Amino acid sequence: PQIAAMTTDTIEYTNEAYDTGKKILIEGANATMLDIDFGTYPYVTSSNPSIGSVLTGLGVSPRKIHGIYGTTKAYCTRVGEGPFPTELERDVPGSIGEHLGVVGAEWGTTTGRSRRVGWLDIPQMKYSTLINGFTSLNLTKLDVLTGLAEVKIGRAYKHEGKILNTMPSCLKTMSEIEVIYETMPGWSEDISKARNFEDLPVNAQRYVLRVQELLGVPIRWIGCGANRLDMIDRGEGWDLASKEDGEQ
């Protein structure tokens, strides 16, 4: 009886909530590159962590989706096997890979396995943005990059001398690609107390702005520390969904 009382027609429940003006937040798990249809198959999960599962899982119309927010770390991680073009060696003492893994506490939540780490991968992020149509981004763990003399961004893939304009669907191609990097100066200042974008060191600001420029999507939220409140919110002006509201 207790379980039955919590059981309902979720399609009706969700759509009625929408029709009465309630705000509905849907949170996805995993990541687009682990999507069974769009990810690096066979190194994927068994479902669709991308935007389509909102529709098929809840039974709502695409017209009801408003803001779409992508969450990414300021660097890349992966658990287990699969392609990782920007990967750094984690087991080398004193290496950048060790820094990202230890400072970022990169161990799998469920398995406890060490996460593989690497530089931010813009081609993968562009691919995820294309599929999901993000209206804004949440860039987390920027503080983990603190202390590095230089930070790199994987800007593009090159294969057999040619720049690739889309994500390779072939694992063989993925294993052969060359990553083109941009190198930017790092920062050493503690950013955990930053609550406004202007509080960040200039080099940290430049890193965020460059990622935003490469993706063409505004970065609204910036994680700058380990605590829940260590977050910068740049406001609704950095959300394409809010701009669309203003145009209506």
Side-chain angles (χ1 to χ4, degrees):
Q2 290 179 322
I3 294 177
M6 296 184 289
T7 303
T8 189
D9 182 338
T10 56
I11 298 175
E12 180 184 33
Y13 177 83
T14 305
N15 283 279
E16 281 189 354
Y18 179 89
D19 292 339
T20 57
K22 292 184 178 178
K23 292 185 177 181
I24 302 171
L25 176 65
I26 304 104
E27 180 183 3
N30 295 313
T32 300
M33 299 312 299
L34 296 180
D35 189 291
I36 193 169
D37 293 316
F38 302 114
T40 51
Y41 188 87
Y43 304 104
V44 294
T45 188
S46 58
S47 60
N48 296 105
S50 54
I51 191 67
S53 62
V54 175
L55 312 179
T56 58
L58 285 179
V60 297
S61 163
R63 296 175 61 187
K64 294 181 178 179
I65 295 180
H66 189 52
I68 306 172
Y69 306 113
T71 298
T72 179
K73 295 173 185 174
Y75 53 96
C76 243
T77 61
R78 181 164 196 156
V79 175
E81 299 181 35
F84 196 158
T86 62
E87 184 171 14
L88 296 167
E89 289 290 338
R90 178 172 175 170
D91 298 329
V92 178
S95 66
I96 294 174
E98 182 189 48
H99 172 98
L100 296 179
V102 173
V103 177
E106 296 297 350
W107 287 273
T109 303
T110 303
T111 64
R113 288 184 295 173
S114 296
R115 294 192 183 106
R116 298 157 64 191
V117 298
W119 296 118
L120 199 62
D121 189 322
I122 294 298
Q124 285 193 10
M125 292 180 68
K126 283 184 174 179
Y127 179 68
S128 180
T129 299
L130 178 68
I131 291 170
N132 294 289
F134 299 129
T135 60
S136 189
L137 295 174
N138 175 17
L139 185 70
T140 69
K141 305 186 85 164
L142 182 66
D143 56 295
V144 175
L145 300 182
T146 298
L148 298 178
E150 294 180 333
V151 290
K152 292 186 178 183
I153 300 173
R155 179 174 58 84
Y157 292 164
K158 180 185 284 188
H159 184 253
E160 296 182 348
K162 296 181 180 179
I163 299 294
L164 301 181
N165 295 319
T166 186
M167 183 61 55
S169 59
C170 174
L171 290 181
K172 182 176 183 296
T173 302
M174 285 290 289
S175 68
E176 297 171 347
I177 60 174
E178 172 190 351
V179 180
I180 299 174
Y181 289 98
E182 287 188 13
T183 302
M184 304 183 70
W187 59 92
S188 58
E189 300 91 333
D190 177 15
I191 66 171
S192 63
K193 300 297 188 292
R195 294 298 178 267
N196 298 290
F197 186 70
E198 294 73 19
D199 295 337
L200 294 173
V202 171
N203 287 344
Q205 292 183 33
R206 289 173 177 166
Y207 180 82
V208 173
L209 292 175
R210 183 55 178 152
V211 173
Q212 180 175 269
E213 179 184 17
L214 289 169
L215 294 176
V217 179
I219 295 175
R220 175 173 174 176
W221 298 277
I222 303 166
C224 51
N227 295 318
R228 286 180 178 270
L229 297 179
D230 294 342
M231 175 73 65
I232 294 171
D233 182 355
R234 300 171 76 191
E236 292 185 357
W238 297 94
D239 184 350
L240 296 178
S242 299
K243 292 181 179 180
E244 290 169 0
D245 288 342
E247 294 173 356
Q248 293 177 357

